[in-house]
Amino acid sequence: MGVAQKGRSRTWLDDHGWWLCVVNFESSDWSKGTRLAVSADFLWHDRDWLAQSYGGRLCEADGSEIHVAYESDSQFAAEARRLAARAAEEVVSYRARFEGVEEWASELSATADDIFWQQFDAGIACALAGRPREAHHWLRLVRESGDDRDWVIAACDRARELDQLVDPGDAFVDAISESVARFRSSLRLAEIDVASGLRSR
């Protein structure tokens, strides 16, 4: 499928240039076993670790959160194959639903509500999709959060900077491309021409 393991970890990455579909077979703190999370992370964040920006842990058909306990090699091997197949289905679904920034702009705008980081992501996605009015709306909500924690203040400052670049277009793409390039470098992902990909959305 072209999904690459991150080092020797339990994390696998489906690389879309400026965003990743992240499959994580999470370890358990209290027993041998695994959970399954499939999410998207946007590489325009100024950090060097992965987060579940959209999506997260998956559930079984009965609504309970997936958790497979280790009992034996044969038992766990069968369960691991089942979870890998489920993860593959989720990756295919992400690929089909989010072919470009326009689809992400629509989804994030519909789901952000009062979720701080989704508002931030919605603002950036809308700007990249050529939807400046929505971009200004979401970035303004970020700036007006009123939270005085250091990481929130830093994000508000960044939202203010980006909000001023939305309308010119190219300057916004350049700023986002630089952030993506830094994040990709920190994750040791291949160097790509991010700006060209975003402009050809």
Side-chain angles (χ1 to χ4, degrees):
M1 294 181 67
V3 182
Q5 187 177 13
K6 186 177 184 292
R8 299 182 64 183
S9 71
R10 295 180 175 214
T11 301
W12 295 73
L13 306 177
D14 190 34
D15 189 353
H16 295 265
W18 51 271
W19 71 279
L20 302 172
C21 182
V22 182
V23 176
N24 193 3
F25 298 93
E26 298 177 348
S27 59
S28 172
D29 292 334
W30 60 87
S31 66
K32 288 185 177 180
T34 189
R35 301 180 185 277
L36 175 60
V38 181
S39 59
D41 197 11
F42 304 102
L43 301 182
W44 48 58
H45 290 282
D46 290 317
R47 50 178 162 80
D48 58 3
W49 69 91
L50 293 170
Q52 294 177 355
S53 295
Y54 176 92
R57 288 178 178 172
L58 303 185
C59 294
E60 303 282 11
D62 64 3
S64 63
E65 197 172 82
I66 290 176
H67 176 253
V68 175
Y70 174 87
E71 298 171 8
S72 67
D73 286 356
S74 59
Q75 168 266 340
F76 194 74
E79 290 286 9
R81 285 191 292 271
R82 178 177 74 89
L83 295 193
R86 174 70 184 279
E89 292 175 359
E90 293 293 323
V91 170
V92 169
S93 175
Y94 270 82
R95 290 176 177 179
R97 291 174 59 200
F98 304 113
E99 294 183 358
V101 71
E102 178 62 39
E103 289 80 8
W104 273 119
S106 295
E107 178 66 15
L108 293 170
S109 290
T111 59
D113 295 325
D114 59 351
I115 303 171
F116 181 84
W117 282 118
Q118 285 198 18
Q119 292 174 345
F120 186 93
D121 292 332
I124 293 175
C126 285
L128 292 172
R131 294 158 60 166
R133 181 177 299 178
E134 292 171 85
H136 288 305
H137 166 74
W138 292 116
L139 292 173
R140 185 181 68 251
L141 287 180
V142 171
R143 297 192 335 258
E144 296 174 351
S145 71
D147 194 316
D148 61 359
R149 286 175 290 180
D150 290 345
W151 62 267
V152 177
I153 293 172
C156 291
D157 289 343
R158 180 60 170 164
R160 187 174 296 104
E161 293 171 4
L162 292 173
D163 198 23
Q164 295 172 352
L165 300 176
V166 167
D167 295 316
D170 283 348
F172 189 91
V173 171
D174 290 341
I176 296 302
S177 298
E178 290 171 6
S179 292
V180 171
R182 286 194 297 270
F183 203 159
R184 291 184 64 85
S185 177
S186 73
L187 295 175
R188 298 182 180 179
L189 298 175
E191 292 186 17
I192 61 171
D193 186 351
V194 178
S196 293
L198 290 172
R199 291 194 179 98
S200 63
R201 63 178 186 274

